[in-house]
Amino acid sequence: ERDATMQQNLDLEKEKAEQLERYLYKLNKERQLREQLQKDADSINAEITSLRKENRDITVLEKEKLALKDKVRRQEQYMKRKITQERALKDRTHLNRVSRNEKSTVWGSPVKENSSSN
């Protein structure tokens, strides 16, 4: 009976050792999995940080783009006003020349001044 009890104790110890080994193996696997998940999470966080920075950069660029578009629009308006003013000035100058020429001609021919030597 003593041998049977000792054998049972040995079997129990062997079973406990095997069970402990399985637990340690599972624990090690869980630790490795956790470490891999932590690396993945760190990588994702770094990517998110990068994307947020890019988004800020894009936001800044979009604001600059809008400011430049507004500047171009205002410049175009200014140029249109200047061109209109120059055309108006040119038209007035042309009308003044035509008007002076019309005064110096009668019925399409230049007016001849009478000379006192006739």
Side-chain angles (χ1 to χ4, degrees):
E1 218 175 277
R2 216 170 179 214
D3 286 339
T5 306
M6 285 180 86
Q7 186 61 39
Q8 279 180 338
N9 285 341
L10 286 174
D11 288 344
L12 283 175
E13 283 182 29
K14 185 178 177 182
E15 188 179 320
K16 283 182 182 181
E18 289 173 352
Q19 191 176 25
L20 179 62
E21 204 169 307
R22 284 193 302 271
Y23 286 142
L24 289 174
Y25 177 78
K26 286 181 179 179
L27 183 63
N28 191 31
K29 280 292 192 186
E30 289 292 325
R31 184 180 306 126
Q32 288 175 353
L33 180 61
R34 185 186 62 76
E35 287 173 356
Q36 184 60 44
L37 289 173
Q38 185 63 47
K39 286 178 185 177
D40 291 347
D42 291 344
S43 174
I44 290 171
N45 283 334
E47 190 172 340
I48 288 172
T49 301
S50 173
L51 290 173
R52 283 183 179 155
K53 183 184 180 307
E54 286 178 21
N55 186 40
R56 274 186 243 123
D57 291 344
I58 288 172
T59 302
V60 168
L61 289 174
E62 285 175 346
K63 287 179 183 178
E64 289 175 358
K65 176 182 155 186
L66 288 174
L68 287 172
K69 278 186 171 183
D70 183 56
K71 188 174 183 176
V72 167
R73 181 187 55 78
R74 286 183 283 119
Q75 188 69 26
E76 285 175 343
Q77 289 174 344
Y78 171 78
M79 293 303 293
K80 284 179 184 177
R81 281 194 310 270
K82 289 301 273 182
I83 289 171
T84 303
Q85 288 172 354
E86 286 179 12
R87 282 185 183 155
L89 181 62
K90 191 184 251 186
D91 289 345
R92 278 191 300 241
T93 304
H94 180 72
L95 285 175
N96 285 340
R97 283 187 197 146
V98 169
S99 174
R100 275 187 257 138
N101 285 342
E102 285 178 355
K103 287 179 183 176
S104 65
T105 60
V106 175
W107 301 98
S109 61
V111 174
K112 294 181 183 176
E113 293 184 15
N114 293 334
S115 61
S116 57
S117 60
N118 276 356

